[in-house]
Amino acid sequence: IAAANEDAWVREAVQPDFIREHSARNKMLAFPYAKLHNSQWNVDQAAGLIFCSVQVAQELGIARDKWVFPLAGTESNAMSVVSARKALDRNHGFKEAGSKVLALAGKTPAQIQHMELYSCFPQAVRVQLEELGLSSQRDLSVTGAMTFGGGPLNNFVLQATVKMAQLLRAEPGSNGLVTCVSGMNTKQGCALYSTAANADGWQFADVSDAVRDATELCELVSDCEGAATVAGYTVLYQGENPWRAVAVCDLADGRRTVAFSEDSEMLEAMLGDEYVGRSVAVYKTAEGSLQFR
């Protein structure tokens, strides 16, 4: 997609197997993600949109085939610490924001011809597909996504919306969804656009309260020891070598902590097998850090 997008930062077509496997040209950052899985923010790009009323557009003589209407927008500002979220594989912000934006525009997922799912890293895309009820068997980006389209943090959404407007102009009557994330998959936003106006005009909703009510949080502690279950983990790399495993651990009493290990056998095991759900022992070192084994 990026190769066909004249505005993309990187227009070299890259094969899936090259993206999937880490190498000297695609270094592992934090297992399972290598460089080309993640947002590229070392870019020099800009974009602009002009919003006005229909009356102003008519008065200025702007051709009707240039018009693109914002149908609906939603956002959640219910922030929570990533490690405290009971279900690390869920994102109620997108569940609520996505369903609400579709309802406000009177659309179903099947009626969305174009989409740009915020793509800072693969988990963000995958959780959106699940929470929004979208199929992965379709294009999920109109730009080439943040790695190749060029994603200088949230400014990328502006560039994506410009590209979306261009596509909608080329396909009158089609609908486009653009999503956004702020922070560690924390704040969520959704916007729907079309060349055909919403019958009820532009609609907006803040779903923060609903997200806050739906998100179950755990008590985070740093002074603990004992048996625990791995709720989520990654292995960090230094250069081309695994360096440290970091695990979010559920304690027997329902509380949660974060611990690490630099044991080479543990790193190898966590890279080779699924460790979510495994039992570990959390202990405090003489220096006061929390580790697991």
Side-chain angles (χ1 to χ4, degrees):
I1 294 173
N5 175 13
E6 63 182 12
D7 298 320
W9 187 252
V10 178
R11 299 191 63 190
E12 173 191 0
V14 183
Q15 296 303 310
D17 57 349
F18 186 83
I19 298 173
R20 182 175 59 247
E21 304 298 335
H22 66 283
S23 63
R25 292 185 57 218
N26 183 34
K27 291 185 177 182
M28 183 70 79
L29 300 181
F31 175 78
Y33 298 151
K35 177 182 177 181
L36 292 182
H37 285 117
N38 295 278
S39 173
Q40 166 64 274
W41 62 16
N42 185 28
V43 298
D44 182 10
Q45 295 173 301
L49 292 161
I50 297 176
F51 288 88
C52 67
S53 66
V54 167
Q55 180 179 345
V56 169
Q58 292 172 330
E59 291 173 352
L60 294 175
I62 299 173
R64 178 63 180 81
D65 61 3
K66 299 293 186 183
W67 297 6
V68 175
F69 291 90
L71 304 182
T74 55
E75 67 178 37
S76 169
N77 296 296
M79 296 183 288
S80 58
V81 177
V82 174
S83 301
R85 300 173 194 170
K86 180 67 175 178
L88 295 174
D89 60 330
R90 292 295 309 276
N91 192 298
H92 293 287
F94 274 121
K95 180 73 172 179
E96 299 293 338
S99 60
K100 189 65 174 180
V101 80
L102 290 169
L104 291 174
K107 306 295 181 185
T108 66
Q111 292 175 299
I112 308 302
Q113 289 83 9
H114 306 288
M115 62 178 63
E116 182 72 48
L117 301 186
Y118 196 81
S119 49
C120 46
F121 39 80
Q123 190 271 351
V125 177
R126 295 182 68 170
V127 77
Q128 287 179 76
L129 291 175
E130 294 182 14
E131 299 292 7
L132 300 177
L134 301 171
S135 170
S136 62
Q137 303 304 309
R138 56 173 297 172
D139 288 341
L140 307 178
S141 171
V142 297
T143 65
M146 295 179 74
T147 301
F148 303 101
L153 300 177
N154 298 80
N155 186 71
F156 171 74
V157 178
L158 182 60
Q159 293 155 225
T161 305
V162 169
K163 180 57 65 176
M164 183 66 75
Q166 294 170 345
L167 283 174
L168 296 176
R169 284 174 172 178
E171 297 182 30
S174 61
N175 303 298
L177 170 69
V178 179
T179 68
C180 186
V181 169
S182 178
M184 297 293 184
N185 221 341
T186 302
K187 297 181 181 181
Q188 300 80 24
C190 298
L192 273 172
Y193 299 90
S194 179
T195 55
N198 192 347
D200 297 323
W202 181 70
Q203 302 292 310
F204 171 78
D206 186 320
V207 297
S208 301
D209 289 342
V211 175
R212 201 173 288 112
D213 291 341
T215 304
E216 185 179 358
L217 300 177
C218 301
E219 179 187 355
L220 289 177
V221 295
S222 59
D223 186 11
C224 61
E225 289 187 303
T229 302
V230 176
Y233 73 97
T234 186
V235 176
L236 306 178
Y237 274 63
Q238 286 189 336
E240 296 184 19
N241 300 312
W243 163 60
R244 170 181 285 184
V246 179
V248 178
C249 301
D250 287 327
L251 302 170
D253 60 6
R255 297 181 301 166
R256 181 172 277 175
T257 194
V258 178
F260 73 89
S261 173
E262 294 178 357
D263 178 77
S264 59
E265 292 185 3
M266 177 62 75
L267 299 185
E268 183 178 356
M270 298 184 93
L271 289 170
D273 297 310
E274 176 60 76
Y275 245 71
V276 171
R278 296 283 190 95
S279 297
V280 295
V282 175
Y283 65 98
K284 184 173 291 187
T285 67
E287 295 77 23
S289 62
L290 277 186
Q291 300 191 23
F292 68 89
R293 57 186 171 222

